[in-house]
Amino acid sequence: MTGFATMTDPAAAYVLRHGDDNLVLAQRLSEWVSLGPELEEDIALANVALDHLGVATHLLGHASQLVGGGTTDDDLAFQRTEREFTNVVLVEQPNGDFAHTMARQLFMDAYQRLLWEALAVSEDAILAGIAAKAHKESLYHFRHTSGWVVRLGDGTDESHTRMQAAVDNLWRYTGELFEMDDLDRQMVESGVGVDLGALSGPWLHAIAAVAADAMIALPDEVTQRGGGRRGFHTEHLGHLLSEMQWMQRTYPGLEW
Amino acid sequence: MTVATNDQVRLLLDEVVDPEIPVLTIADLGVLRDVAVSEGSVLVTITPTYSGCPAMDLIRSEIASTLEANGFSDYSIETVFSPAWTTDWMTEEAKVKLRDYGIAGPAPVEPVVSGIGYQVSAAVCPLCRSDETRMVSEFGSTACKALMVCSSCGEPFDLFKAL
């Protein structure tokens, strides 16, 4: 099979990067299943993972249509290499303790709430439809996650320390969410994409409001780590993919 | 080839229910968006409730088997995302059926308020009809439901989330 890295259709590449964010985040969240801190939260994390997986399925499906040539969403999910995934590196970061999972989720929920709202008026009608649906889901994801961040941040000394450490550790991966590359600019120009830079102000505003309620201090400027959109990932993605893809790699085309 | 009208096909599809909430048909839920019969060929349009709703594959295959069982061989089932599904499409009759099944129906969807918004509007207990209820978890047994408990009768129940 020829590598997907050669994918030249910009519209497909654009849909795929947002699909990859959701696919990788869904896979990470589902690692919590049966390990959640309490039964209700275990179910909640599985539900949120399922929402992200659904969005990923629709976006990868749409991307595969744009690629054409009989490519399927499963091909894109299970047969691309680490270097061909274009998710932001934030979503591939390990779950860590529950505070780390909630900090990662808070950053993504606040981002996706703005992203989907903006993509809901994309010139790409299918992308717009998927975004409008995902937007509704991101609203209650954000509500759920921010509730936990406040409970932990404004909780015991132990929970506060852990929540603060999680925000401090993951902050360096948030800058990538708002980075604009040539593909982003091209997609904005054609009316398909979003000006990500314009989302960073409202994002910070939302995060600051939750942090204030949670007694969490937001980090000062730190050196940001990106590269995911170009396929340069942290060491964690390869491990995640080897688990997610091994069945299809071992038995290509296997179906239930 | 079976000759039928749009309404006749719609009537047939009333046999197709939500696999998780079998008291509701896909028409009650608003998942069935359109039925169009043209020259013996049937086009059924559906929309997912939630992006990740795992029932959609089963619903699709049940629509197919219902059509085939009634002699339709020329059909297609299309999934659309726009306009996005909302619980406001659920009929009043559907909400009564839900309540009788033990699930509190969704409140009308309120316009999105900016800000943090931790609060979720309360529900009326489907068992004792008390409005003294509280949310245990915004996530329940399926993507579309939240887990509630009634402070009056003490019973837990599901709430169909307004979306």
Side-chain angles (χ1 to χ4, degrees), chain B residues 67-113:
Chain B
L67 290 173
E68 281 168 18
N70 287 281
F72 294 93
S73 53
D74 183 9
Y75 63 85
S76 53
I77 303 165
E78 267 185 23
T79 304
V80 295
F81 297 103
S82 190
W85 180 81
T86 165
T87 41
D88 286 350
W89 291 345
M90 206 182 275
T91 59
E92 284 310 308
E93 187 196 345
K95 289 177 188 173
V96 172
K97 284 198 237 174
L98 264 184
R99 190 192 64 198
D100 292 345
Y101 189 63
I103 299 172
V109 176
E110 290 164 23
V112 172
V113 185

Side-chain angles (χ1 to χ4, degrees), chain B residues 1 18 23 29 31 45 48 62-64 69 78 83 86 88 90 97 100 106 116 148:
Chain B
M1 188 178 76
D18 182 313
V23 289
L29 269 168
V31 163
T45 309
E62 301 221 322
I63 291 172
E78 267 185 23
T86 165
D88 286 350
M90 206 182 275
K97 284 198 237 174
D100 292 345
I116 304 180
M148 308 286 294

Side-chain angles (χ1 to χ4, degrees), chain A:
Chain A
M1 168 167 287
T2 54
F4 293 102
T6 56
M7 182 185 286
T8 47
D9 183 333
Y14 188 73
V15 170
L16 190 56
R17 57 170 58 177
H18 293 296
D20 284 348
D21 283 356
N22 285 277
L23 180 60
V24 173
L25 185 57
Q27 179 73 12
R28 271 287 180 247
L29 285 172
S30 56
E31 290 170 12
W32 273 105
V33 171
S34 83
L35 302 171
E38 58 183 29
L39 180 61
E40 288 78 8
E41 188 52 28
D42 200 288
I43 294 168
L45 289 168
N47 265 287
V48 175
L50 187 61
D51 285 339
H52 286 300
L53 186 64
V55 174
T57 305
H58 299 319
L59 290 176
L60 265 60
H62 182 35
S64 69
Q65 293 285 314
L66 292 169
V67 172
T71 305
T72 68
D73 50 354
D74 278 352
D75 294 337
L76 293 176
F78 298 116
Q79 298 191 25
R80 279 181 302 151
T81 65
E82 179 195 0
R83 283 283 281 111
E84 293 166 320
F85 270 77
T86 51
N87 56 280
V88 289
V89 295
L90 174 64
V91 292
E92 72 205 33
Q93 297 311 304
N95 286 335
D97 61 9
F98 186 63
H100 275 75
T101 295
M102 285 298 109
R104 185 185 65 205
Q105 195 64 29
L106 180 74
F107 297 155
M108 282 308 288
D109 291 346
Y111 164 70
Q112 290 199 331
R113 215 169 55 144
L114 297 160
L115 177 76
W116 300 139
E117 186 177 26
L119 284 177
V121 293
S122 169
E123 292 286 334
D124 176 341
I126 295 178
L127 176 59
I130 297 168
K133 180 134 217 66
H135 179 242
K136 292 182 174 203
E137 294 162 4
S138 67
L139 295 175
Y140 68 77
H141 292 171
F142 180 73
R143 189 165 60 217
H144 169 255
T145 309
S146 50
W148 269 110
V149 170
V150 171
R151 268 170 83 177
L152 295 173
D154 191 17
T156 63
D157 287 346
E158 173 78 11
S159 72
H160 173 80
T161 305
R162 284 176 180 245
M163 196 66 241
Q164 183 68 58
V167 168
D168 290 346
N169 286 338
L170 294 173
W171 194 255
R172 76 196 69 177
Y173 303 113
T174 57
E176 189 184 10
L177 296 171
F178 309 104
E179 261 173 36
M180 293 284 286
D181 62 9
D182 287 344
L183 179 59
D184 283 305
R185 281 184 283 274
Q186 188 187 342
M187 287 296 118
V188 169
E189 207 153 294
S190 63
V192 169
V194 177
D195 178 1
L196 295 169
L199 306 184
S200 72
W203 178 85
L204 188 60
H205 184 76
I207 297 292
V210 178
D213 276 4
M215 320 290 276
I216 294 291
L218 294 183
D220 293 328
E221 261 181 48
V222 295
T223 307
Q224 292 288 326
R225 164 69 161 90
R229 295 287 188 229
R230 285 174 288 128
F232 294 111
H233 293 278
T234 57
E235 67 173 290
H236 309 293
L237 183 65
H239 297 281
L240 178 145
L241 292 180
S242 65
E243 184 174 359
M244 187 179 88
Q245 296 181 332
W246 80 265
M247 184 77 90
Q248 282 297 323
R249 296 283 191 187
T250 313
Y251 305 101
L254 178 78
E255 288 183 24
W256 285 100

Side-chain angles (χ1 to χ4, degrees), chain B residues 7 22 24-25 27 70 85 87 136 143 146:
Chain B
D7 286 346
L24 295 186
T25 68
N70 287 281
W85 180 81
T87 41
V136 177

Side-chain angles (χ1 to χ4, degrees), chain B:
Chain B
M1 188 178 76
T2 309
V3 180
T5 64
N6 294 355
D7 286 346
Q8 284 167 328
V9 175
R10 269 184 182 275
L11 213 59
L12 289 176
L13 293 181
D14 271 343
E15 283 176 30
V16 181
V17 296
D18 182 313
E20 300 280 2
I21 312 169
V23 289
L24 295 186
T25 68
I26 54 173
D28 287 337
L29 269 168
V31 163
L32 181 64
R33 298 311 299 151
D34 193 39
V35 173
V37 183
S38 170
E39 293 173 12
S41 147
V42 181
L43 172 63
V44 178
T45 309
I46 55 175
T47 195
T49 52
Y50 282 71
S51 297
C53 180
M56 290 306 287
D57 284 338
L58 190 58
I59 287 173
R60 217 171 282 123
S61 83
E62 301 221 322
I63 291 172
S65 57
T66 302
L67 290 173
E68 281 168 18
N70 287 281
F72 294 93
S73 53
D74 183 9
Y75 63 85
S76 53
I77 303 165
E78 267 185 23
T79 304
V80 295
F81 297 103
S82 190
W85 180 81
T86 165
T87 41
D88 286 350
W89 291 345
M90 206 182 275
T91 59
E92 284 310 308
E93 187 196 345
K95 289 177 188 173
V96 172
K97 284 198 237 174
L98 264 184
R99 190 192 64 198
D100 292 345
Y101 189 63
I103 299 172
V109 176
E110 290 164 23
V112 172
V113 185
S114 58
I116 304 180
Y118 305 135
Q119 298 304 320
V120 179
S121 55
V124 173
C125 173
L127 303 167
C128 75
R129 312 284 154 86
S130 164
D131 58 2
E132 298 285 311
T133 62
R134 64 189 170 82
M135 185 169 287
V136 177
S137 173
E138 197 166 346
F139 298 87
S141 53
T142 67
C144 54
K145 286 177 286 184
L147 200 57
M148 308 286 294
V149 68
C150 176
S151 306
S152 298
C153 70
E155 290 289 332
F157 65 93
D158 278 335
L159 164 69
F160 207 109
K161 286 188 277 201
L163 187 78

